Amino acid sequence: MSEDPFGDLDAAMGGGESASEPESEPEPEGADATDAAESEPEPEPEPLDEIDPRERPAFEFDETVHKALYVLESVADEFDDIITYDVERELTRDHGLKGVTKSELHNAALDVATEHPEEIVERVLEQRGVDDENSE
């Protein structure tokens, strides 16, 4: 018995080559194909610092992580409405930004929250109906 449990699968399927072996690319015919490829170099991508920041997101999607947030549906709906209809509209209409992404908007919203932890504390106390004498 072969060490590869799927070794006879290719033969049964009618293929002579292993699926893991890549097929070879056909060679270009003549020097014209080689010369054409060498005479037209690919353009260099523009450095990010030379691109207008209004034209591109603040960061790439690949840099983000997905985190679950558990919120009341009404709060999530209001948040989505404000982000989409107020914030995004102002950024595009009043500030000329293009391609504003949800990840940028969500990141900015959470960043604002991290700058104001005292307001988060007050809101949690308010939600619970706690009248804290220590609050200002």
Side-chain angles (χ1 to χ4, degrees):
M1 182 171 194
S2 168
E3 289 183 35
D4 182 5
F6 302 105
D8 59 347
L9 188 58
D10 284 334
M13 299 287 295
E17 294 182 9
S18 164
S20 63
E21 293 179 21
E23 292 184 21
S24 60
E25 299 262 336
E27 294 291 323
E29 294 180 23
D32 293 339
T34 306
D35 292 343
E38 291 176 6
S39 65
E40 295 179 29
E42 291 187 25
E44 293 282 326
E46 229 179 305
L48 290 179
D49 57 344
E50 293 180 17
I51 298 173
D52 184 349
R54 288 179 176 84
E55 301 286 329
R56 63 176 168 79
F59 49 85
E60 295 296 325
F61 182 76
D62 295 350
E63 297 176 58
T64 65
V65 294
H66 182 255
K67 297 280 188 171
L69 296 174
Y70 298 97
V71 299
L72 296 174
E73 187 172 359
S74 61
V75 173
D77 291 343
E78 185 177 0
F79 177 80
D80 287 341
D81 287 348
I82 287 170
I83 287 291
T84 302
Y85 300 117
D86 296 339
V87 176
E88 188 173 357
R89 184 181 308 158
E90 183 175 336
L91 289 170
T92 56
R93 188 182 293 167
D94 299 345
H95 299 281
L97 268 59
K98 295 181 180 170
V100 178
T101 64
K102 293 292 183 196
S103 57
E104 283 181 288
L105 298 169
H106 294 167
N107 192 72
L110 289 174
D111 202 27
V112 169
T114 62
E115 292 174 2
H116 302 282
E118 69 284 353
E119 291 185 36
I120 297 171
V121 170
E122 288 176 21
R123 187 59 54 96
V124 170
L125 291 171
E126 186 179 294
Q127 288 175 156
R128 288 188 172 208
V130 174
D131 185 18
D132 189 19
E133 295 175 5
N134 294 330
S135 65
E136 296 175 29

